[in-house]
């Protein structure tokens, strides 16, 4: 898959996506990642990419033209253009699976107060990673590219790694344990030590359903019980 990011801060994406599984996916050619800096598509001496908002108000707005030119340079017939914005559709695992089938993704990352609204119709989708406001689209691009890359066939060496994981089938995944069998007095559940694959599968399935019902009743397999999500009470 080819991914390009239109960003004023390429290193904010390049650096985190050079490590671990995604870094290896890049080295092995599963993911080709490129960057276009709108500053390189300006014509004035100061390479200006932002200006004050019409109507007044705080902050600066990214100008449409440098973003447009950057996009024009890289967009192909099969490109899917994603504008990152907190106003967009909320990102989730089913969407990650859809995006993993695309040949070419282009992410437009806003910064400051965002991008001139006239850029919005150039995108195929407006996408948010959650109901909070980041300083820029770059961390959002990292999250989406990471989630999508691990779904590209061959990136995870164990093909079934994404089959039973959280959000697949509308469930949270069952808990994991590793050695030692007893850690600070806490034992690993008996079923996992049994060596009986059927029993282990049943235990995991029950755990996944119970956990989903408690922590995420809003998920398809969560039963829609009106209980608070896990961790909510602490805040
Ligand atoms: N003034 C904007 C508003 O209130 O909607 C927020 C702008 S934000 C400080 C700057 C940029 O960060 C946005 O243009 C967008 O690209 C990115 N951004 C911020 N939060 C985001 C989120 N939750 N999901 C995706 N992108 C986000």
């Amino acid at each position: 898959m080819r991914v390009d990011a239109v960003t004023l801060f390429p290193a904010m994406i390049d650096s985190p996506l050079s490590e671990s599984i995604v870094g290896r996916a890049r080295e092995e050619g599963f993911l080709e990642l490129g960057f276009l800096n709108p500053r390189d598509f300006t014509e004035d001496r100061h390479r200006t990419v932002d200006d004050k908002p019409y109507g007044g108000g705080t902050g600066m707005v990214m100008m449409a033209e440098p973003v447009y030119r950057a996009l024009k340079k890289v967009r192909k017939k099969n490109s899917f253009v994603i504008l990152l914005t907190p106003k967009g559709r909320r990102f989730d695992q089913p969407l990650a699976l859809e995006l993993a089938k695309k040949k070419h993704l282009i992410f437009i990352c806003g910064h400051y107060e965002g991008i001139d609204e006239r850029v919005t119709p150039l995108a195929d989708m407006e996408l948010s990673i959650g109901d909070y406001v980041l300083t820029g689209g770059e961390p959002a691009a990292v999250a989406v590219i990471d989630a999508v890359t691990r779904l590209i066939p061959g990136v995870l060496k164990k093909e079934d790694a994404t089959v039973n994981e959280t959000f697949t089938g509308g469930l949270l995944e069952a808990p994991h344990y590793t050695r030692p069998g007893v850690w600070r007095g806490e034992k690993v559940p008996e079923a996992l030590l049994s060596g009986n694959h059927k029993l282990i599968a049943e235990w995991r399935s029950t755990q996944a359903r119970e956990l989903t019902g408690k922590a995420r009743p809003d998920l398809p397999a969560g039963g829609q019980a009106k209980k608070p999500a896990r961790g909510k009470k602490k805040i």
Side-chain angles (χ1 to χ4, degrees), residues 144-189:
V144 177
I145 296 167
D146 183 292
V148 168
T149 302
R150 64 191 291 287
L151 296 173
I152 299 171
V155 168
L156 297 183
K157 301 304 166 204
K158 294 204 167 147
E159 288 291 333
D160 62 350
T162 60
V163 172
N164 292 318
E165 70 184 353
T166 291
F167 302 128
T168 307
L171 279 167
L172 303 180
E173 193 185 44
H176 293 292
Y177 297 85
T178 187
R179 285 188 286 186
V182 182
W183 176 74
R184 294 183 180 256
E186 296 283 338
K187 287 186 190 156
V188 171

Side-chain angles (χ1 to χ4, degrees), residues 27-89:
E27 278 165 20
E28 292 175 356
F30 289 104
L31 172 69
E32 256 183 274
L33 188 53
F35 302 98
L36 295 107
N37 191 329
R39 256 183 227 292
D40 298 334
F41 296 85
T42 54
E43 281 178 351
D44 66 312
R45 202 157 58 92
H46 301 290
R47 306 173 78 213
T48 310
V49 289
D50 57 354
D51 209 332
K52 288 183 246 167
Y54 276 119
T58 47
M60 299 294 271
V61 176
M62 282 174 67
M63 295 156 77
E65 185 63 16
V67 173
Y68 168 76
R69 288 187 189 178
L71 188 57
K72 196 163 173 236
K73 168 136 196 213
V74 76
R75 188 175 206 162
K76 307 272 181 316
K77 260 197 173 154
N78 66 357
S79 307
F80 190 77
V81 179
I82 296 172
L83 177 67
L84 293 161
T85 163
K87 300 169 201 165
R89 167 178 172 179

